Amino acid sequence: MRELLVIGIGAGDPDQVTIQAIKAMNKADAFFVIGKGDEKQDLVDLRTTILEEHVTGPYRVVDIADPPRNRTPDDYEGVVDDWHERRAAVFEEKFAAEPGVGAILVWGDPSLYDSTLRIVERVLARGNVSFDYSVIPGVTSVQSLAAGHRMVLNRIGEPIHITTGRRLAEGLPEGVDNAVVMLDANTTFTQVPGEDVQIWWGAYLGTPDEVLISGRLRDVESEIQRVRTELRERKGWIMDTYLLRR
Ligand SMILES: C[S@@+](CC[C@H](N)C(=O)[O-])C[C@H]1O[C@@H](n2cnc3c(N)ncnc32)[C@H](O)[C@@H]1O
């Protein structure tokens, strides 16, 4: 492969695809699609729609099957390292077979909770293939959340912390008053103590199913839990993000 383009495609709204991303997509001969086998059909459809709408010339789609990972290992670090190496080997093989320009479409932006760039670096570090690569930024779910609620993520001059549901379960760090939480399957906000916490929650941001709820955490937490459960059951999957402010 001559060149690899890692392209952020926005977090759900096909109109969030930037002109820079469209130009990059039209340079690609092949799109690598990374599948764990459990990807939601809606998300697969969105990627197909984006390609059909924006790419004018011919292109190929190359599937890369992610190797399975042991999720409950005894030796966590050793197993994860082994899995990353196996992933890199699979990517390397597909990259080596591509003569032209390859592209990977990344949900939101590649800089936020996404492993694509780490895999690409690992493939290059193995030294068996070489290529140039560049990153085209995309609109993240965090920006979609802020836009949906028409808000600024931080109060004037304050820092903003971005974290996961798993880390939030350990508590908000001392001095952190604004935190965006992603990858939270367990409505961990209910474990955040305090009567003075506000929440701005959003699910399916940027899609026709977008749902927004905001208010004092203690007033709206049960409503968010109920709505989240209903939506997840109805669609079979959910993606949600929220801002907490003390
Ligand atoms: C693996 S991370 C990928 C984030 C992505 N790279 C980005 O820039 O937004 C997936 C998490 O992003 C958030 N997310 C992504 N798309 C979303 C959407 N359309 N609505 C709400 N949350 C979303 C959820 O917290 C989800 O668990």
Side-chain angles (χ1 to χ4, degrees):
M1 185 169 61
R2 224 168 357 109
E3 189 184 356
L4 177 68
L5 304 165
V6 180
I7 307 173
I9 55 167
D13 182 346
D15 286 355
Q16 282 177 357
V17 176
T18 67
I19 294 168
Q20 189 186 13
I22 294 171
K23 286 184 181 167
M25 283 192 252
N26 279 286
K27 274 175 66 184
D29 303 297
F31 290 87
F32 298 106
V33 175
I34 304 148
K36 298 180 184 68
D38 59 355
E39 222 185 351
K40 312 296 170 269
Q41 193 54 43
D42 293 357
L43 307 187
V44 175
D45 290 348
L46 180 80
R47 201 169 40 214
T48 310
T49 307
I50 287 174
L51 288 179
E52 281 172 358
E53 267 184 29
H54 297 300
V55 182
T56 48
Y59 59 86
R60 279 171 289 115
V61 172
V62 178
D63 287 311
I64 302 186
D66 231 355
R69 170 178 166 186
N70 179 356
R71 299 237 164 228
T72 50
D74 294 333
D75 167 20
Y76 182 81
E77 280 181 14
V79 168
V80 169
D81 193 60
D82 170 65
W83 179 62
H84 283 160
E85 202 53 32
R86 281 187 291 127
R87 286 185 99 188
V90 174
F91 277 68
E92 180 185 287
E93 194 189 317
K94 300 285 182 178
F95 289 172
E98 173 51 49
V101 177
I104 300 179
L105 304 186
V106 174
W107 194 255
D109 183 77
S111 68
L112 198 57
Y113 294 112
D114 187 89
S115 59
T116 310
L117 296 181
R118 267 184 227 110
I119 304 177
V120 171
E121 281 297 328
R122 194 147 182 152
V123 171
L124 287 170
R126 286 160 62 89
N128 302 325
V129 288
S130 76
F131 50 85
D132 281 336
Y133 83 96
S134 38
V135 176
I136 288 86
V139 176
T140 70
S141 51
V142 178
Q143 292 159 299
S144 295
L145 177 74
H149 285 288
R150 301 182 300 182
M151 71 178 309
V152 181
L153 292 173
N154 59 289
R155 280 172 298 209
I156 296 173
E158 287 185 351
I160 171 88
H161 182 75
I162 301 179
T163 190
T164 63
R166 188 176 297 189
R167 295 302 292 268
L168 181 68
E170 296 162 13
L172 271 180
E174 198 55 40
V176 166
D177 290 333
N178 305 283
V180 172
V181 185
M182 306 175 71
L183 291 160
D184 183 7
N186 301 312
T187 57
T188 311
F189 50 80
T190 57
Q191 298 169 34
V192 173
E195 294 301 316
D196 60 345
V197 182
Q198 302 277 121
I199 187 168
W200 288 264
W201 178 82
Y204 312 111
L205 292 160
T207 77
D209 299 314
E210 177 173 289
V211 182
L212 301 166
I213 298 175
S214 61
R216 202 175 138 263
L217 179 60
R218 296 286 90 89
D219 292 338
V220 297
E221 60 189 340
S222 347
E223 182 193 352
I224 297 175
Q225 276 185 305
R226 179 181 52 75
V227 170
R228 193 181 187 282
T229 306
E230 282 171 15
L231 291 171
R232 201 191 47 216
E233 277 169 15
R234 197 181 320 148
K235 276 183 82 74
W237 62 278
I238 190 159
M239 275 212 282
D240 59 334
T241 307
Y242 53 90
L243 170 72
L244 293 176
R245 177 174 289 166
R246 271 199 282 236

